[in-house]
Amino acid sequence: AGSDVANILTTATKTPCGQYYIVNGTKKWITNGTFSDFFVTAVRTGGPGIGGISLLLIERSAGVETSPIKTSYSPAAGTAYITFENVKVPVSNLLGQENRGFQCIMANFNHERWVICVAGCRSNRLVIDECLKWANQRLVFGKSLMNQPVVRAKLAKMISNNEACQSWLENITYQMKVLSHKDQNTYLAGPIALAKYQITRTMSLVMDDAVQIFGGRAISAGGMGQIVERISRAHKFSAILGGSEEVMADLGVRQSMRLFPQEARL
């Protein structure tokens, strides 16, 4: 289902005795799936939409098969394609209430997206640091890259964009510490979604300029440009995981409109 969480297709049907669920379906791009022994799995136990989703803890057992998916990041993530074929799961493995699993999934999204924001800002800062050092030491046309106005302009754009993201992230982090979980869901879901959108957009901008500054070293595995090469190859993960950029942007605006006074006029 990807970003369309409400329309998952994997099913869990109770046995006539009511003691087990029989799970059938597939899951794709599951981080750590290759070597996991247990899977927290969203399944459809009821009708269509969010009202028919439950969460089950499924143990690796008969009927559970995993196969690795090669990604542009690394096999260390254990990204997997998982198949559930007539998997027998005790009803005691139900997490929360039946048909109330969507609420559990949503409760985790703010924190997942916050983690992605933190990783994005930190990756940007690391890349900018590499660029500053490289521009200071790399000699071109008899002088360092840092003496080229076009390179300084790139660095200025990279630094200012990421510092703005960092400030926004620290503001949201403070609110996450002082607001109740209920208030976080009400007031922070939109800002966190928009922050994730802005930070992952900034990552693309930073990586584009970083590759230009490093030149050939940014597209070579190993060597002085290896950090830029690795992050440039994998930075789009953050723009997809936890909700795509397009979904985050739309969610942020829709959340704002929920509290927008309908009588407001120019």
Side-chain angles (χ1 to χ4, degrees):
S3 295
D4 188 10
V5 180
N7 288 312
I8 62 166
L9 299 177
T10 298
T11 61
T13 306
K14 272 187 179 176
T15 57
C17 68
Q19 298 300 307
Y20 298 94
Y21 289 103
I22 303 300
V23 178
N24 285 281
T26 59
K27 301 289 183 179
K28 198 171 185 179
W29 298 294
I30 306 303
T31 304
N32 293 330
T34 302
F35 35 75
S36 291
D37 294 318
F38 295 88
F39 306 87
V40 177
T41 310
V43 295
R44 186 160 300 285
T45 51
I50 63 176
I53 297 175
S54 301
L55 283 183
L56 290 177
L57 180 63
I58 301 178
E59 186 174 1
R60 185 184 288 270
S61 56
V64 179
E65 294 187 6
T66 60
S67 53
I69 297 175
K70 292 183 178 180
T71 70
S72 56
Y73 170 57
S74 166
T79 308
Y81 180 80
I82 305 175
T83 302
F84 300 104
E85 185 173 356
N86 295 323
V87 181
K88 195 174 183 181
V89 182
V91 294
S92 58
N93 284 27
L94 177 69
L95 301 176
Q97 300 176 7
E98 189 173 80
N99 296 327
R100 297 280 293 175
F102 188 79
Q103 287 76 1
C104 296
I105 296 170
M106 291 298 104
N108 179 62
F109 263 145
N110 281 347
H111 294 83
E112 178 185 4
R113 290 164 182 162
W114 177 84
V115 168
I116 294 171
C117 288
V118 172
C121 278
R122 186 64 189 92
S123 294
N124 285 342
R125 191 173 295 277
L126 175 61
V127 168
I128 291 168
D129 184 59
E130 292 292 298
C131 288
L132 287 169
K133 290 185 287 189
W134 176 245
N136 193 51
Q137 77 180 67
R138 169 67 167 145
L139 296 178
V140 181
F141 305 116
K143 53 186 177 181
S144 72
L145 278 178
M146 191 62 79
N147 284 318
Q148 303 290 344
V150 67
V151 172
R152 295 198 301 271
K154 286 182 182 293
L155 289 167
K157 181 174 65 174
M158 295 160 72
I159 294 168
S160 58
N161 280 328
N162 193 56
E163 287 302 313
C165 289
Q166 182 72 37
S167 179
W168 193 5
L169 177 59
E170 290 177 5
N171 180 284
I172 288 174
T173 302
Y174 174 78
Q175 293 181 69
M176 291 178 72
K177 287 177 66 65
V178 299
L179 292 179
S180 67
H181 192 271
K182 180 181 178 180
D183 284 345
Q184 287 183 41
N185 290 335
T186 301
Y187 300 113
L188 290 186
I192 290 174
L194 290 176
K196 181 180 181 294
Y197 166 78
Q198 182 62 28
I199 289 169
T200 57
R201 282 283 78 217
T202 298
M203 289 182 75
S204 293
L205 295 172
V206 166
M207 291 316 307
D208 184 59
D209 283 336
V211 170
Q212 294 306 116
I213 290 172
F214 267 83
R217 284 177 172 79
I219 55 175
S220 303
M224 287 183 285
Q226 60 181 309
I227 290 177
V228 172
E229 186 275 330
R230 286 202 304 266
I231 297 178
S232 68
R233 177 163 36 88
H235 77 276
K236 291 301 289 184
F237 277 65
S238 297
I240 297 170
L241 303 182
S244 69
E245 286 181 345
E246 294 77 9
V247 171
M248 293 296 93
D250 182 65
L251 173 62
V253 175
R254 286 191 291 108
Q255 288 292 110
S256 297
M257 294 307 296
R258 288 178 63 185
L259 300 176
F260 190 80
Q262 296 302 307
E263 70 278 4
R265 296 292 187 275
L266 290 176

